[in-house]
Amino acid sequence: MSRRLVILVAVILLSVTIYFVNKAAQIIKIEEQVHAHLLEEGYTESDIYKLEGYRNYTGSGVSPYHAIVYFTDEPKADYNYTRDVGTGEINQSSWYGDGKHKEKQ
């Protein structure tokens, strides 16, 4: 009985570890993809004030991983970027602020 308990605990711990490692890897991946997208759109490193990835459980057709971007000339406004599940394209999904950096949809 105790051997089964040890195996069960080990499986649970391994599953939890894999989940969190994968989550961290996906957040890093979306940050890198959004960063590359911004550079392709003509932004420079100095234009990007801050870029943070996160997981959001809402929405269908888009990855649950998103990134918020703050631009140097509008540091209090946030722009949300997502990855389309079907195409893999990075798209700006929303913004809060004046919309100086609103992408054409």
Side-chain angles (χ1 to χ4, degrees):
M1 178 87 163
S2 71
R3 187 167 195 254
R4 286 184 181 170
L5 182 61
V6 169
I7 292 171
L8 178 63
V9 169
V11 167
I12 291 170
L13 287 175
L14 182 61
S15 298
V16 169
T17 301
I18 290 170
Y19 170 79
F20 283 107
V21 168
N22 182 53
K23 181 178 174 184
Q26 291 298 320
I27 288 172
I28 291 168
K29 182 177 178 181
I30 191 68
E31 288 174 346
E32 290 171 349
Q33 289 176 326
V34 169
H35 185 262
H37 171 77
L38 293 172
L39 296 179
E40 288 172 11
E41 291 292 312
Y43 290 103
T44 64
E45 294 291 336
S46 62
D47 293 329
I48 303 166
Y49 176 67
K50 189 160 106 177
L51 192 156
E52 297 177 321
Y54 68 98
R55 182 174 173 115
N56 183 1
Y57 296 94
T58 62
S60 62
V62 296
S63 168
Y65 295 95
H66 301 246
I68 293 181
V69 177
Y70 298 89
F71 292 97
T72 305
D73 66 343
E74 204 179 8
K76 294 188 183 210
D78 58 76
Y79 293 82
N80 192 21
Y81 289 82
T82 59
R83 180 177 55 244
D84 184 280
V85 172
T87 65
E89 291 179 4
I90 298 296
N91 298 302
Q92 187 182 77
S93 59
S94 64
W95 66 93
Y96 174 75
D98 294 334
K100 288 182 183 179
H101 301 281
K102 180 181 170 191
E103 289 185 5
K104 296 175 183 155
Q105 301 295 326

